[in-house]
Amino acid sequence: LIFVVSQCPCSKEELSLFCPQLEGRQEEAAVLLREAVLPSDLLLQLREKRLTVHWLDMRVRPVSSPLAAENVSGLNLFPDLLRCVGGAVVPIAALVGPPHPSVLA
């Protein structure tokens, strides 16, 4: 079992910072992201050793901008990517509950 503990790239901008080869190539994003995060050799090793990869998303606040529905490319791509190795994106709030109101102020 492997955990990536970090903020999961969510927006198009965050995806471009995380994986620069995605810049301007949104139609190929899923394939390019998989090759960048889980190259074929690594994917094969993970499957052979039956390792699962989960991304523990440390983002404290939910995406709440008016364009939120259009700006969640990463949240749409990463679950599919991790599913191929039996994993998932797990929001930190799912493990520890919602943040205290003083954190959001």
Side-chain angles (χ1 to χ4, degrees):
L1 187 59
I2 299 171
F3 285 96
V4 174
V5 181
S6 177
Q7 286 189 2
C8 184
C10 177
S11 67
K12 289 179 184 177
E13 294 79 23
E14 290 172 344
L15 275 171
S16 292
L17 288 171
F18 179 79
C19 188
Q21 57 266 47
L22 293 179
E23 188 71 35
R25 300 173 73 184
Q26 292 303 315
E27 66 283 346
E28 303 170 87
V31 172
L32 292 171
L33 188 63
R34 189 196 58 77
E35 290 172 357
V37 176
L38 294 173
S40 304
D41 292 342
L42 177 59
L43 188 58
L44 182 62
Q45 288 179 10
L46 290 170
R47 287 181 176 162
E48 284 177 356
K49 296 178 191 245
R50 296 183 181 180
L51 291 171
T52 302
V53 180
H54 295 283
W55 192 305
L56 183 56
D57 186 5
M58 301 299 290
R59 188 175 307 277
V60 175
R61 297 184 214 191
V63 178
S64 58
S65 70
L67 300 175
E70 300 165 7
N71 202 19
V72 291
S73 303
L75 294 180
N76 295 330
L77 292 172
F78 277 93
D80 291 338
L81 173 67
L82 296 175
R83 198 172 296 121
C84 74
V85 288
V89 175
V90 181
I92 188 68
L95 301 177
V96 298
H100 190 273
S102 66
V103 173
L104 299 176

